[in-house]
Amino acid sequence: MAVAPKKKVEATPEKVHVWPYLVRLEFMCAILVILALTVWSIGIDAPLEEAANPTKTPNPSKAPWYFLGLQDILVYFDPWFAGVVAPVLIIVGLMLIPYLDVNPKGNGYYTYEERKLAIWVYCFGFLVLWIALIIMGVFLRGPGWNLFMPWQYWDPHKVVALTSVDLPYAFGVRTYNMAMFVGGVVICGYFAIGTGVYFFLERKAIKYVGFLRMFIKIQLYLIMIGIVIKIVLRLGFNIKYVWVTPWFNI
Amino acid sequence: MANKAPGLPSLADLIAKVKSGEIFKEISKQITESQVWTSSFRHGYADTPRNRVLQIASNVWLHLHPVKMHRHALRIKFTWCMGGITFLLFLSTVVTGVILMFYYRPVGEYAYYDMKYLQYDVPFGMLMRNMHRWAAHAMVITVWLHMFRVFLTGSYKPPREFNWVIGVFLVTFTLLLSFTGYLLPWDQLAMWAVTVGTNMARATPFLGNEGPFAEYVGVTPRYDARSVLLGGSLVGPPALLRFYVLHCIFIPLVAGALMIVHFWRIRKDGGISGPL
Ligand code: HEM
């Protein structure tokens, strides 16, 4: 029986046979994962609480842990944004990444130097806006969706003064229509100025990146930054809404 | 002795053969050369280049792999093996999930008590339930990590843009799979988590009864995006049945099909990305 020229295969740096080189790795990896899963499942039981009861609402009611980032955004945004538009934007935005990032470098290897901005944006979105909010939602959000430190008692009667006002009100605007106008100007102005500044700063890149690409990219950046701004406005300055209209509030 | 029928070995011969181990070779030869064996198993473990290729190419389970690959793609440091682990966890939920389906009825009156029965009276029922649930949770984590790795290595760049898009569908379906399954135990945790989640559909612009511009469309609490999802205006037995069908049939089929496309595309895009 002919024996494979092992030495020769290993001396060739380029290509190796999937059998056995990859299959054996997959096999070992599978054994380890299944082992870990089995031990975990023997050790810790899946939760089963009392039977579902539509008349007894638990406080706090939490979504499954992987959605708690979105649930936390609900503090700062109305459900139409936090629960519907934001998830859609996340999904669409993720799908657009390969078409918006035209940097040819860093394809197929780890590098920070060659694509700093891309790495920063993704890490911020994933690690801060997604993971950190989930961790906060799982461990720190108690009754009434109030923040509790791990050593604090979950007091269901904790009252947090709701003194927040809308942004136009904070600016001294008192009539509804005027407030609606001011809010609209602030929001639209934010996007218009943000887009303008970006295009000015990146004016040399327009040629090879393309107008449409740059336009979509900056809108997505501005939405992401806008979410952070809104969180800061709420936590730091007690601002509830920036723009109140008869149809929606932001 | 001389006129003994040919083929009938003497006892002494037999003992000698057992002692020398000859007999085992003969038996194994007879088995592996039988028609049944050779028709079932096409290749042995002969370590020849030809056989290495055949092992992959003629095996239905392995042939989504390429026959040869770049050496750098073997490095665990590069892929973290996260895509593979995600797939393995998916398969684990399929196997344990089918077992759970033998005992579980998606009916308001039964669902919760079927869970209790599974946990306390079905042999290994608790273990199956635990494995199903923890594998599902773990899959959510590993798919995020896989995506993170693919981003960090820039593997979504040409020519792999399309596979990244399929990936985003996959992560979405992974979350939906987990979410629809969350309701099935039909306990307080399940009902209220899904209530919180599906309440969001109420606020869908145009299509949810509390969403922006709903008044121009004319949706009502009993007839909007949320009620289509739940089969009613609250999380009740119709929602349980809907989530069950989505969880056990629709989403796994779609996700499974997408995974096959995903794996196929890895090959067609030139294998795992690398610095070349
Ligand atoms: C159910 C979910 C998924 C499964 C089972 C899966 C499976 C895999 C496997 C086994 C690989 C081979 C390399 C590796 O293990 O890293 C891979 C590669 C890849 N995956 Fe996934 N994946 C899933 C979700 C995703 C997601 C969410 C994305 C991104 C949005 C994605 C994008 C990619 C890309 C672009 C590659 C090629 C990587 C390269 O060439 O380096 N996949 N996937």
Side-chain angles (χ1 to χ4, degrees):
Chain A
M1 202 182 286
V3 174
K6 245 199 178 134
K7 277 275 146 46
K8 222 167 150 191
V9 171
E10 259 151 16
T12 338
E14 277 304 293
K15 291 250 183 173
V16 292
H17 281 112
V18 163
W19 178 288
Y21 293 99
L22 177 64
V23 176
R24 72 179 176 201
L25 272 183
E26 290 177 342
F27 186 62
M28 284 187 306
C29 192
I31 291 177
L32 285 181
V33 171
I34 292 295
L35 206 74
L37 179 65
T38 311
V39 170
W40 181 7
S41 301
I42 291 173
I44 303 176
D45 282 346
L48 186 67
E49 300 185 350
E50 24 180 318
N53 183 350
T55 61
K56 215 170 112 191
T57 313
N59 185 9
S61 289
K62 291 189 182 183
W65 61 269
Y66 35 83
F67 289 147
L68 285 187
L70 292 171
Q71 196 177 354
D72 215 72
I73 299 281
L74 270 175
V75 175
Y76 315 101
F77 289 94
D78 281 355
W80 68 268
F81 184 81
V84 185
V85 174
V88 169
L89 280 175
I90 293 172
I91 293 170
V92 173
L94 284 171
M95 284 182 181
L96 285 178
I97 287 178
Y99 305 99
L100 296 180
D101 178 4
V102 289
N103 178 1
K105 287 191 218 134
N107 184 346
Y109 52 96
Y110 292 98
T111 169
Y112 168 67
E113 291 301 320
E114 294 169 27
R115 38 197 290 258
K116 288 185 184 155
L117 181 65
I119 303 252
W120 266 102
V121 172
Y122 194 89
C123 286
F124 181 74
F126 179 57
L127 299 176
V128 179
L129 287 183
W130 192 253
I131 300 292
L133 284 187
I134 285 177
I135 292 173
M136 202 166 102
V138 172
F139 296 107
L140 306 184
R141 289 293 188 185
W145 208 253
N146 289 315
L147 272 182
F148 291 87
M149 288 297 120
W151 55 88
Q152 279 176 330
Y153 165 66
W154 273 21
D155 177 7
H157 305 296
K158 174 171 174 176
V159 180
V160 177
L162 281 177
T163 52
S164 54
V165 295
D166 298 337
L167 186 73
Y169 187 91
F171 286 166
V173 180
R174 289 295 180 268
T175 64
Y176 185 89
N177 282 341
M178 195 59 199
M180 185 163 93
F181 177 73
V182 171
V185 168
V186 170
I187 297 277
C188 297
Y190 166 73
F191 279 94
I193 293 174
T195 308
V197 168
Y198 182 74
F199 269 86
F200 178 73
L201 292 177
E202 297 285 316
R203 59 194 177 280
K204 285 202 202 98
I206 298 178
K207 235 196 192 141
Y208 72 85
V209 177
F211 179 84
L212 185 65
R213 243 192 219 110
M214 273 180 74
F215 185 78
I216 297 177
K217 206 195 292 196
I218 184 61
Q219 302 315 313
L220 291 173
Y221 282 163
L222 284 173
I223 292 170
M224 205 160 143
I225 299 168
I227 292 175
V228 179
I229 293 179
K230 182 80 201 283
I231 293 177
V232 171
L233 280 180
R234 167 58 69 80
L235 295 181
F237 302 92
N238 272 323
I239 300 295
K240 187 162 169 61
Y241 292 119
V242 175
W243 188 13
V244 177
T245 77
W247 306 279
F248 60 85
N249 307 321
I250 297 177
Chain B
M1 284 299 228
N3 53 5
K4 232 187 157 193
L8 262 190
S10 73
L11 194 64
D13 271 358
L14 230 122
I15 291 174
K17 269 188 183 174
V18 172
K19 275 191 176 157
S20 67
E22 186 78 10
I23 191 140
F24 301 111
K25 267 187 210 147
E26 260 173 40
I27 293 176
S28 85
K29 198 170 161 193
Q30 265 190 7
I31 293 177
T32 55
E33 286 177 4
S34 72
Q35 193 181 358
V36 173
W37 183 278
T38 52
S39 65
S40 318
F41 306 102
R42 292 287 184 192
H43 318 287
Y45 289 93
D47 196 9
T48 62
R50 182 182 134 80
N51 201 50
R52 287 176 169 188
V53 171
L54 286 175
Q55 287 283 11
I56 297 294
S58 61
N59 181 308
V60 69
W61 308 112
L62 293 177
H63 90 282
L64 276 174
H65 291 105
V67 162
K68 282 180 151 197
M69 61 189 290
H70 283 284
R71 177 179 286 279
H72 70 80
L74 288 172
R75 281 175 302 143
I76 300 217
K77 258 189 180 161
F78 185 77
T79 63
W80 310 350
C81 210
M82 271 307 148
I85 292 176
T86 308
F87 185 53
L88 179 69
L89 289 170
F90 175 73
L91 291 181
S92 317
T93 56
V94 170
V95 172
T96 52
V98 168
I99 295 172
L100 295 179
M101 284 173 79
F102 285 122
Y103 297 96
Y104 174 86
R105 289 163 292 178
V107 179
E109 291 88 340
Y110 299 146
Y112 180 73
Y113 298 99
D114 285 349
M115 298 305 290
K116 287 269 181 203
Y117 173 58
L118 234 155
Q119 292 197 1
Y120 295 109
D121 275 343
V122 176
F124 298 106
M126 189 76 223
L127 184 66
M128 286 304 118
R129 182 167 177 237
N130 291 346
M131 286 183 81
H132 191 73
R133 192 171 184 103
W134 299 140
H137 283 335
M139 186 180 166
V140 170
I141 296 172
T142 58
V143 74
W144 290 349
L145 290 178
H146 172 57
M147 204 166 149
F148 194 37
R149 177 306 267 182
V150 171
F151 186 87
L152 289 182
T153 56
S155 304
Y156 57 85
K157 298 188 177 196
R160 298 184 179 76
E161 305 100 309
F162 185 71
N163 220 13
W164 169 272
V165 175
I166 293 183
V168 178
F169 277 110
L170 277 172
V171 71
T172 311
F173 280 117
T174 304
L175 291 178
L176 288 179
L177 260 179
S178 211
F179 182 65
T180 48
Y182 215 89
L183 181 64
L184 303 184
W186 207 232
D187 61 346
Q188 281 289 76
L189 188 65
M191 168 174 264
W192 292 99
V194 170
T195 302
V196 170
T198 53
N199 272 349
M200 293 301 118
R202 220 175 2 215
T204 313
F206 299 103
L207 299 180
N209 74 83
E210 288 173 8
F213 310 114
E215 54 273 33
Y216 303 110
V217 181
V219 290
T220 64
R222 304 192 57 182
Y223 194 69
D224 70 344
R226 179 166 175 275
S227 68
V228 168
L229 205 62
L230 294 180
S233 53
L234 48 75
V235 178
L240 182 60
L241 185 56
R242 264 171 212 220
F243 274 47
Y244 176 79
V245 174
L246 289 174
H247 182 77
C248 300
I249 297 172
F250 182 73
I251 307 179
L253 280 182
V254 176
L258 282 176
M259 280 178 213
I260 292 172
V261 178
H262 192 63
F263 301 154
W264 188 247
R265 278 306 285 242
I266 297 173
R267 281 182 65 176
K268 295 296 132 180
D269 294 340
I272 304 295
S273 59
L276 291 173

